[in-house]
């Protein structure tokens, strides 16, 4: 996956987990591409094909599929998120 910012997230506008993921990424001062799937079923299908999951958010850091918000937060708690983000910045 060649994401210009290095971080890609499929999300919906009002999903609480999407909001939390945005807040966490924003707190890291990292740019990310946020692809809204609210009204774009073809983008939701694209997300499902890439991730194998139906839920939002779905997050990639570089080529690594991180998963959803809980997975992102787990990386943060383990002290691994900053290192991953350094690899793509």
């Amino acid at each position: 996956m060649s994401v210009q910012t290095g971080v890609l997230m499929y999300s919906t506008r009002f999903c609480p987990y999407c909001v939390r993921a945005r807040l966490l990424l924003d707190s890291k001062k990292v740019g990310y591409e946020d692809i809204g799937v609210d009204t774009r079923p073809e983008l939701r299908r694209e997300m499902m094909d890439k991730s194998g999951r139906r839920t939002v958010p779905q997050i990639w850091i570089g080529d690594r599929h991180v998963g959803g918000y809980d997975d992102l937060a787990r990386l943060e708690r383990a002290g691994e998120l900053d290192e991953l983000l350094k690899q793509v910045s």
Side-chain angles (χ1 to χ4, degrees):
M1 173 178 311
S2 116
V3 178
Q4 190 172 15
T5 60
V7 179
L8 173 70
M9 177 170 64
Y10 288 88
S11 67
T12 60
R13 279 194 348 193
F14 300 111
C15 150
Y17 292 102
C18 298
V19 171
R20 290 182 192 148
R22 284 188 204 97
L23 288 171
L24 178 53
L25 291 171
D26 289 344
S27 77
K28 297 294 182 180
K29 308 274 191 257
V30 62
Y32 55 93
E33 183 178 353
D34 190 355
I35 299 175
V37 299
D38 305 78
T39 59
R40 305 280 306 273
E42 71 279 8
L43 292 176
R44 186 177 286 269
R45 277 192 301 279
E46 176 183 286
M47 175 197 78
M48 289 167 49
D49 290 343
K50 287 181 180 179
S51 68
R53 298 183 182 181
R54 303 176 61 91
T55 58
V56 291
Q58 290 301 316
I59 304 161
W60 281 260
I61 299 175
D63 292 334
R64 177 177 172 175
H65 178 232
V66 171
Y69 169 73
D70 290 338
D71 304 301
L72 188 69
R74 192 174 304 114
L75 287 170
E76 172 68 358
R77 284 190 306 274
E80 299 172 16
L81 182 58
D82 288 337
E83 189 59 38
L84 270 178
L85 293 171
K86 281 182 198 172
Q87 294 173 17
V88 297
S89 62

mmCIF file of all heavy atoms in Angstrom, residues 45-77:
data_model
loop_
_atom_site.group_PDB
_atom_site.id
_atom_site.type_symbol
_atom_site.label_atom_id
_atom_site.label_comp_id
_atom_site.label_asym_id
_atom_site.label_seq_id
_atom_site.Cartn_x
_atom_site.Cartn_y
_atom_site.Cartn_z
ATOM 1 N N ARG A 45 -16.617 -1.792 0.898
ATOM 2 C CA ARG A 45 -16.230 -3.088 0.318
ATOM 3 C C ARG A 45 -14.723 -3.168 0.129
ATOM 4 O O ARG A 45 -14.110 -4.192 0.399
ATOM 5 C CB ARG A 45 -16.943 -3.318 -1.016
ATOM 6 C CG ARG A 45 -18.344 -3.875 -0.863
ATOM 7 C CD ARG A 45 -18.929 -4.356 -2.176
ATOM 8 N NE ARG A 45 -19.004 -3.312 -3.191
ATOM 9 C CZ ARG A 45 -19.961 -2.393 -3.261
ATOM 10 N NH1 ARG A 45 -20.932 -2.394 -2.372
ATOM 11 N NH2 ARG A 45 -19.967 -1.486 -4.210
ATOM 12 N N GLU A 46 -14.121 -2.070 -0.337
ATOM 13 C CA GLU A 46 -12.667 -2.019 -0.494
ATOM 14 C C GLU A 46 -11.988 -2.279 0.857
ATOM 15 O O GLU A 46 -11.042 -3.064 0.946
ATOM 16 C CB GLU A 46 -12.267 -0.645 -1.033
ATOM 17 C CG GLU A 46 -10.786 -0.409 -1.160
ATOM 18 C CD GLU A 46 -10.502 1.005 -1.643
ATOM 19 O OE1 GLU A 46 -10.730 1.283 -2.845
ATOM 20 O OE2 GLU A 46 -10.067 1.832 -0.812
ATOM 21 N N MET A 47 -12.474 -1.628 1.912
ATOM 22 C CA MET A 47 -11.931 -1.817 3.250
ATOM 23 C C MET A 47 -12.063 -3.279 3.680
ATOM 24 O O MET A 47 -11.117 -3.870 4.192
ATOM 25 C CB MET A 47 -12.676 -0.922 4.249
ATOM 26 C CG MET A 47 -12.267 -1.115 5.691
ATOM 27 S SD MET A 47 -13.471 -0.443 6.870
ATOM 28 C CE MET A 47 -14.728 -1.723 6.859
ATOM 29 N N MET A 48 -13.228 -3.865 3.446
ATOM 30 C CA MET A 48 -13.462 -5.245 3.844
ATOM 31 C C MET A 48 -12.562 -6.201 3.063
ATOM 32 O O MET A 48 -12.026 -7.154 3.636
ATOM 33 C CB MET A 48 -14.938 -5.599 3.655
ATOM 34 C CG MET A 48 -15.827 -4.899 4.671
ATOM 35 S SD MET A 48 -17.605 -4.941 4.313
ATOM 36 C CE MET A 48 -17.892 -6.651 3.960
ATOM 37 N N ASP A 49 -12.365 -5.938 1.782
ATOM 38 C CA ASP A 49 -11.481 -6.777 0.974
ATOM 39 C C ASP A 49 -10.044 -6.706 1.477
ATOM 40 O O ASP A 49 -9.348 -7.713 1.545
ATOM 41 C CB ASP A 49 -11.519 -6.361 -0.505
ATOM 42 C CG ASP A 49 -12.836 -6.704 -1.183
ATOM 43 O OD1 ASP A 49 -13.599 -7.531 -0.631
ATOM 44 O OD2 ASP A 49 -13.094 -6.145 -2.268
ATOM 45 N N LYS A 50 -9.587 -5.513 1.840
ATOM 46 C CA LYS A 50 -8.204 -5.332 2.300
ATOM 47 C C LYS A 50 -7.980 -5.891 3.699
ATOM 48 O O LYS A 50 -6.922 -6.432 3.986
ATOM 49 C CB LYS A 50 -7.839 -3.843 2.321
ATOM 50 C CG LYS A 50 -7.634 -3.233 0.968
ATOM 51 C CD LYS A 50 -7.260 -1.768 1.137
ATOM 52 C CE LYS A 50 -7.052 -1.095 -0.187
ATOM 53 N NZ LYS A 50 -6.715 0.324 -0.028
ATOM 54 N N SER A 51 -8.974 -5.724 4.572
ATOM 55 C CA SER A 51 -8.774 -6.055 5.987
ATOM 56 C C SER A 51 -9.371 -7.396 6.397
ATOM 57 O O SER A 51 -8.961 -7.968 7.402
ATOM 58 C CB SER A 51 -9.379 -4.968 6.874
ATOM 59 O OG SER A 51 -10.792 -4.973 6.764
ATOM 60 N N GLY A 52 -10.380 -7.843 5.655
ATOM 61 C CA GLY A 52 -11.101 -9.039 6.078
ATOM 62 C C GLY A 52 -12.053 -8.760 7.229
ATOM 63 O O GLY A 52 -12.601 -9.675 7.829
ATOM 64 N N ARG A 53 -12.259 -7.492 7.541
ATOM 65 C CA ARG A 53 -13.133 -7.088 8.652
ATOM 66 C C ARG A 53 -14.228 -6.153 8.150
ATOM 67 O O ARG A 53 -14.035 -5.437 7.189
ATOM 68 C CB ARG A 53 -12.333 -6.388 9.748
ATOM 69 C CG ARG A 53 -11.280 -7.276 10.381
ATOM 70 C CD ARG A 53 -10.603 -6.543 11.493
ATOM 71 N NE ARG A 53 -9.545 -7.318 12.103
ATOM 72 C CZ ARG A 53 -8.817 -6.884 13.119
ATOM 73 N NH1 ARG A 53 -9.039 -5.691 13.641
ATOM 74 N NH2 ARG A 53 -7.876 -7.631 13.624
ATOM 75 N N ARG A 54 -15.342 -6.127 8.880
ATOM 76 C CA ARG A 54 -16.487 -5.297 8.496
ATOM 77 C C ARG A 54 -16.589 -4.014 9.309
ATOM 78 O O ARG A 54 -17.308 -3.102 8.945
ATOM 79 C CB ARG A 54 -17.786 -6.087 8.699
ATOM 80 C CG ARG A 54 -17.844 -7.380 7.945
ATOM 81 C CD ARG A 54 -19.110 -8.155 8.266
ATOM 82 N NE ARG A 54 -20.305 -7.431 7.904
ATOM 83 C CZ ARG A 54 -20.921 -7.522 6.724
ATOM 84 N NH1 ARG A 54 -20.437 -8.310 5.805
ATOM 85 N NH2 ARG A 54 -22.006 -6.832 6.481
ATOM 86 N N THR A 55 -15.928 -3.979 10.461
ATOM 87 C CA THR A 55 -16.101 -2.865 11.393
ATOM 88 C C THR A 55 -15.129 -1.729 11.106
ATOM 89 O O THR A 55 -14.075 -1.931 10.503
ATOM 90 C CB THR A 55 -15.887 -3.342 12.841
ATOM 91 O OG1 THR A 55 -14.576 -3.901 12.955
ATOM 92 C CG2 THR A 55 -16.927 -4.376 13.225
ATOM 93 N N VAL A 56 -15.519 -0.533 11.548
ATOM 94 C CA VAL A 56 -14.651 0.637 11.453
ATOM 95 C C VAL A 56 -14.248 1.052 12.852
ATOM 96 O O VAL A 56 -14.977 0.769 13.796
ATOM 97 C CB VAL A 56 -15.350 1.808 10.717
ATOM 98 C CG1 VAL A 56 -15.525 1.492 9.263
ATOM 99 C CG2 VAL A 56 -16.665 2.192 11.364
ATOM 100 N N PRO A 57 -13.104 1.692 12.993
ATOM 101 C CA PRO A 57 -12.152 1.999 11.934
ATOM 102 C C PRO A 57 -11.287 0.786 11.603
ATOM 103 O O PRO A 57 -11.195 -0.149 12.395
ATOM 104 C CB PRO A 57 -11.288 3.096 12.560
ATOM 105 C CG PRO A 57 -11.265 2.758 14.021
ATOM 106 C CD PRO A 57 -12.651 2.199 14.306
ATOM 107 N N GLN A 58 -10.677 0.839 10.432
ATOM 108 C CA GLN A 58 -9.620 -0.097 10.052
ATOM 109 C C GLN A 58 -8.414 0.760 9.717
ATOM 110 O O GLN A 58 -8.508 1.684 8.906
ATOM 111 C CB GLN A 58 -10.026 -0.982 8.881
ATOM 112 C CG GLN A 58 -11.087 -1.991 9.230
ATOM 113 C CD GLN A 58 -10.678 -2.930 10.354
ATOM 114 O OE1 GLN A 58 -9.559 -3.437 10.385
ATOM 115 N NE2 GLN A 58 -11.588 -3.149 11.293
ATOM 116 N N ILE A 59 -7.291 0.452 10.342
ATOM 117 C CA ILE A 59 -6.122 1.323 10.304
ATOM 118 C C ILE A 59 -4.901 0.562 9.818
ATOM 119 O O ILE A 59 -4.662 -0.568 10.246
ATOM 120 C CB ILE A 59 -5.844 1.897 11.717
ATOM 121 C CG1 ILE A 59 -7.090 2.619 12.244
ATOM 122 C CG2 ILE A 59 -4.616 2.800 11.713
ATOM 123 C CD1 ILE A 59 -7.111 2.818 13.741
ATOM 124 N N TRP A 60 -4.148 1.210 8.932
ATOM 125 C CA TRP A 60 -2.858 0.702 8.471
ATOM 126 C C TRP A 60 -1.785 1.723 8.810
ATOM 127 O O TRP A 60 -2.001 2.926 8.664
ATOM 128 C CB TRP A 60 -2.846 0.507 6.958
ATOM 129 C CG TRP A 60 -3.526 -0.725 6.489
ATOM 130 C CD1 TRP A 60 -2.932 -1.897 6.122
ATOM 131 C CD2 TRP A 60 -4.933 -0.924 6.279
ATOM 132 N NE1 TRP A 60 -3.881 -2.816 5.730
ATOM 133 C CE2 TRP A 60 -5.121 -2.237 5.822
ATOM 134 C CE3 TRP A 60 -6.049 -0.113 6.474
ATOM 135 C CZ2 TRP A 60 -6.360 -2.752 5.525
ATOM 136 C CZ3 TRP A 60 -7.287 -0.630 6.182
ATOM 137 C CH2 TRP A 60 -7.442 -1.927 5.715
ATOM 138 N N ILE A 61 -0.641 1.237 9.247
ATOM 139 C CA ILE A 61 0.544 2.072 9.399
ATOM 140 C C ILE A 61 1.571 1.486 8.440
ATOM 141 O O ILE A 61 2.027 0.355 8.638
ATOM 142 C CB ILE A 61 1.064 2.088 10.843
ATOM 143 C CG1 ILE A 61 -0.013 2.665 11.765
ATOM 144 C CG2 ILE A 61 2.366 2.881 10.940
ATOM 145 C CD1 ILE A 61 0.330 2.636 13.241
ATOM 146 N N GLY A 62 1.851 2.236 7.382
ATOM 147 C CA GLY A 62 2.664 1.679 6.306
ATOM 148 C C GLY A 62 1.928 0.489 5.717
ATOM 149 O O GLY A 62 0.728 0.555 5.449
ATOM 150 N N ASP A 63 2.622 -0.612 5.564
ATOM 151 C CA ASP A 63 2.012 -1.826 5.013
ATOM 152 C C ASP A 63 1.355 -2.698 6.077
ATOM 153 O O ASP A 63 0.755 -3.711 5.755
ATOM 154 C CB ASP A 63 3.072 -2.651 4.279
ATOM 155 C CG ASP A 63 3.558 -1.965 3.022
ATOM 156 O OD1 ASP A 63 2.793 -1.163 2.446
ATOM 157 O OD2 ASP A 63 4.702 -2.216 2.609
ATOM 158 N N ARG A 64 1.503 -2.329 7.335
ATOM 159 C CA ARG A 64 0.983 -3.155 8.435
ATOM 160 C C ARG A 64 -0.460 -2.805 8.754
ATOM 161 O O ARG A 64 -0.781 -1.655 9.093
ATOM 162 C CB ARG A 64 1.848 -2.960 9.676
ATOM 163 C CG ARG A 64 1.326 -3.741 10.868
ATOM 164 C CD ARG A 64 2.216 -3.615 12.056
ATOM 165 N NE ARG A 64 1.597 -4.223 13.222
ATOM 166 C CZ ARG A 64 2.194 -4.331 14.374
ATOM 167 N NH1 ARG A 64 3.423 -3.883 14.534
ATOM 168 N NH2 ARG A 64 1.567 -4.886 15.386
ATOM 169 N N HIS A 65 -1.326 -3.811 8.671
ATOM 170 C CA HIS A 65 -2.717 -3.628 9.080
ATOM 171 C C HIS A 65 -2.753 -3.728 10.599
ATOM 172 O O HIS A 65 -2.511 -4.782 11.172
ATOM 173 C CB HIS A 65 -3.615 -4.694 8.439
ATOM 174 C CG HIS A 65 -5.031 -4.587 8.867
ATOM 175 N ND1 HIS A 65 -5.734 -5.647 9.372
ATOM 176 C CD2 HIS A 65 -5.886 -3.532 8.882
ATOM 177 C CE1 HIS A 65 -6.963 -5.260 9.680
ATOM 178 N NE2 HIS A 65 -7.069 -3.988 9.390
ATOM 179 N N VAL A 66 -3.026 -2.604 11.246
ATOM 180 C CA VAL A 66 -3.061 -2.544 12.706
ATOM 181 C C VAL A 66 -4.365 -3.129 13.217
ATOM 182 O O VAL A 66 -4.401 -3.815 14.226
ATOM 183 C CB VAL A 66 -2.885 -1.084 13.180
ATOM 184 C CG1 VAL A 66 -3.145 -0.950 14.666
ATOM 185 C CG2 VAL A 66 -1.502 -0.582 12.818
ATOM 186 N N GLY A 67 -5.461 -2.847 12.528
ATOM 187 C CA GLY A 67 -6.779 -3.279 12.971
ATOM 188 C C GLY A 67 -7.620 -2.071 13.317
ATOM 189 O O GLY A 67 -7.535 -1.038 12.663
ATOM 190 N N GLY A 68 -8.380 -2.193 14.400
ATOM 191 C CA GLY A 68 -9.276 -1.124 14.804
ATOM 192 C C GLY A 68 -8.702 -0.274 15.926
ATOM 193 O O GLY A 68 -7.516 -0.356 16.254
ATOM 194 N N TYR A 69 -9.573 0.518 16.544
ATOM 195 C CA TYR A 69 -9.125 1.410 17.606
ATOM 196 C C TYR A 69 -8.532 0.638 18.783
ATOM 197 O O TYR A 69 -7.499 1.020 19.333
ATOM 198 C CB TYR A 69 -10.253 2.315 18.109
ATOM 199 C CG TYR A 69 -9.842 3.027 19.369
ATOM 200 C CD1 TYR A 69 -8.913 4.065 19.310
ATOM 201 C CD2 TYR A 69 -10.294 2.618 20.617
ATOM 202 C CE1 TYR A 69 -8.470 4.699 20.470
ATOM 203 C CE2 TYR A 69 -9.861 3.242 21.778
ATOM 204 C CZ TYR A 69 -8.946 4.269 21.686
ATOM 205 O OH TYR A 69 -8.489 4.873 22.832
ATOM 206 N N ASP A 70 -9.194 -0.443 19.198
ATOM 207 C CA ASP A 70 -8.679 -1.205 20.338
ATOM 208 C C ASP A 70 -7.254 -1.683 20.073
ATOM 209 O O ASP A 70 -6.407 -1.666 20.972
ATOM 210 C CB ASP A 70 -9.577 -2.399 20.659
ATOM 211 C CG ASP A 70 -10.922 -1.984 21.248
ATOM 212 O OD1 ASP A 70 -11.012 -0.860 21.799
ATOM 213 O OD2 ASP A 70 -11.873 -2.776 21.159
ATOM 214 N N ASP A 71 -6.986 -2.097 18.850
ATOM 215 C CA ASP A 71 -5.641 -2.555 18.487
ATOM 216 C C ASP A 71 -4.644 -1.399 18.520
ATOM 217 O O ASP A 71 -3.513 -1.557 18.989
ATOM 218 C CB ASP A 71 -5.661 -3.197 17.091
ATOM 219 C CG ASP A 71 -6.671 -4.324 16.999
ATOM 220 O OD1 ASP A 71 -6.542 -5.293 17.770
ATOM 221 O OD2 ASP A 71 -7.598 -4.224 16.176
ATOM 222 N N LEU A 72 -5.066 -0.246 18.022
ATOM 223 C CA LEU A 72 -4.217 0.949 18.035
ATOM 224 C C LEU A 72 -3.911 1.358 19.475
ATOM 225 O O LEU A 72 -2.750 1.637 19.819
ATOM 226 C CB LEU A 72 -4.926 2.091 17.300
ATOM 227 C CG LEU A 72 -4.120 3.360 17.057
ATOM 228 C CD1 LEU A 72 -3.014 3.108 16.047
ATOM 229 C CD2 LEU A 72 -5.038 4.477 16.562
ATOM 230 N N ALA A 73 -4.922 1.364 20.332
ATOM 231 C CA ALA A 73 -4.739 1.733 21.733
ATOM 232 C C ALA A 73 -3.838 0.723 22.444
ATOM 233 O O ALA A 73 -3.031 1.098 23.305
ATOM 234 C CB ALA A 73 -6.100 1.832 22.430
ATOM 235 N N ARG A 74 -3.956 -0.554 22.089
ATOM 236 C CA ARG A 74 -3.104 -1.590 22.687
ATOM 237 C C ARG A 74 -1.638 -1.332 22.336
ATOM 238 O O ARG A 74 -0.755 -1.460 23.190
ATOM 239 C CB ARG A 74 -3.543 -2.959 22.182
ATOM 240 C CG ARG A 74 -2.940 -4.125 22.930
ATOM 241 C CD ARG A 74 -3.528 -5.474 22.489
ATOM 242 N NE ARG A 74 -4.983 -5.523 22.625
ATOM 243 C CZ ARG A 74 -5.846 -5.616 21.602
ATOM 244 N NH1 ARG A 74 -5.414 -5.672 20.357
ATOM 245 N NH2 ARG A 74 -7.136 -5.665 21.814
ATOM 246 N N LEU A 75 -1.376 -0.944 21.089
ATOM 247 C CA LEU A 75 -0.006 -0.603 20.684
ATOM 248 C C LEU A 75 0.509 0.588 21.486
ATOM 249 O O LEU A 75 1.666 0.617 21.905
ATOM 250 C CB LEU A 75 0.050 -0.288 19.186
ATOM 251 C CG LEU A 75 -0.074 -1.455 18.231
ATOM 252 C CD1 LEU A 75 -0.238 -0.955 16.793
ATOM 253 C CD2 LEU A 75 1.138 -2.369 18.341
ATOM 254 N N GLU A 76 -0.350 1.562 21.699
ATOM 255 C CA GLU A 76 0.032 2.750 22.480
ATOM 256 C C GLU A 76 0.365 2.356 23.922
ATOM 257 O O GLU A 76 1.399 2.761 24.460
ATOM 258 C CB GLU A 76 -1.089 3.793 22.434
ATOM 259 C CG GLU A 76 -0.891 4.969 23.354
ATOM 260 C CD GLU A 76 0.260 5.890 22.977
ATOM 261 O OE1 GLU A 76 0.992 5.645 21.995
ATOM 262 O OE2 GLU A 76 0.457 6.867 23.710
ATOM 263 N N ARG A 77 -0.492 1.557 24.535
ATOM 264 C CA ARG A 77 -0.250 1.139 25.929
ATOM 265 C C ARG A 77 1.028 0.316 26.056
ATOM 266 O O ARG A 77 1.724 0.399 27.068
ATOM 267 C CB ARG A 77 -1.433 0.335 26.466
ATOM 268 C CG ARG A 77 -2.636 1.182 26.816
ATOM 269 C CD ARG A 77 -3.686 0.397 27.575
ATOM 270 N NE ARG A 77 -4.121 -0.818 26.904
ATOM 271 C CZ ARG A 77 -5.088 -0.892 25.990
ATOM 272 N NH1 ARG A 77 -5.727 0.206 25.634
ATOM 273 N NH2 ARG A 77 -5.417 -2.033 25.442
#
